C-alpha cells in the first residue's frame, strides 16, 4: 500500500485547543437514536461518531454550537 500524502495544516484563524477527550462525559440523544455523541469539555463542545469513537472529534466554540443547533432546529440540514 502506498504511503498517504495527505498532510494536515492548521486553518487560518483556528484558535481551538487540543482537548483531552479521554475522560469526557459523552452523551447521546435523549431518544438514543443516531450515531452522534457530544461532550462539554473546557468550555468547548466536542462531537463524535459513537460507532467509531476512536475517529477524530469535531470541536465547536459555544457560538458555533449555538448557530449549529439553531439552524438544525430550523431544518437547514434536513436531507430528506
Amino acid at each position: 500500500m502506498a504511503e498517504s500524502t495527505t498532510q494536515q495544516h492548521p486553518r487560518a484563524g483556528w484558535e481551538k485547543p487540543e482537548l483531552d477527550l479521554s475522560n469526557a462525559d459523552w452523551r447521546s440523544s435523549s431518544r438514543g437514536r443516531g450515531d452522534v455523541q457530544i461532550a462539554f469539555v473546557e468550555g468547548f463542545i466536542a462531537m463524535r461518531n459513537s460507532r467509531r469513537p476512536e475517529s477524530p472529534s469535531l470541536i465547536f466554540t459555544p457560538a458555533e454550537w449555538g448557530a449549529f443547533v439553531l439552524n438544525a432546529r430550523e431544518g437547514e440540514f434536513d436531507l430528506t
Side-chain angles (χ1 to χ4, degrees):
M1 177 181 266
E3 282 188 43
S4 173
T5 58
T6 303
Q7 296 179 0
Q8 294 184 4
H9 299 283
R11 293 184 180 262
W14 181 259
E15 312 242 348
K16 297 175 189 170
E18 290 288 325
L19 299 176
D20 179 6
L21 301 176
S22 60
N23 292 316
D25 180 21
W26 293 100
R27 301 174 187 195
S28 297
S29 81
S30 60
R31 296 183 184 139
R33 299 187 318 207
D35 297 333
V36 174
Q37 293 179 317
I38 62 168
F40 299 92
V41 180
E42 299 178 31
F44 292 88
I45 298 87
M47 179 189 287
R48 74 177 184 183
N49 180 339
S50 64
R51 291 188 185 187
R52 298 188 62 204
E54 72 284 354
S55 62
S57 297
L58 299 174
I59 307 298
F60 297 91
T61 65
E64 291 169 333
W65 183 252
F68 171 75
V69 170
L70 178 65
N71 289 322
R73 285 182 180 154
E74 293 178 351
E76 183 172 330
F77 309 115
D78 187 2
L79 301 176
T80 60

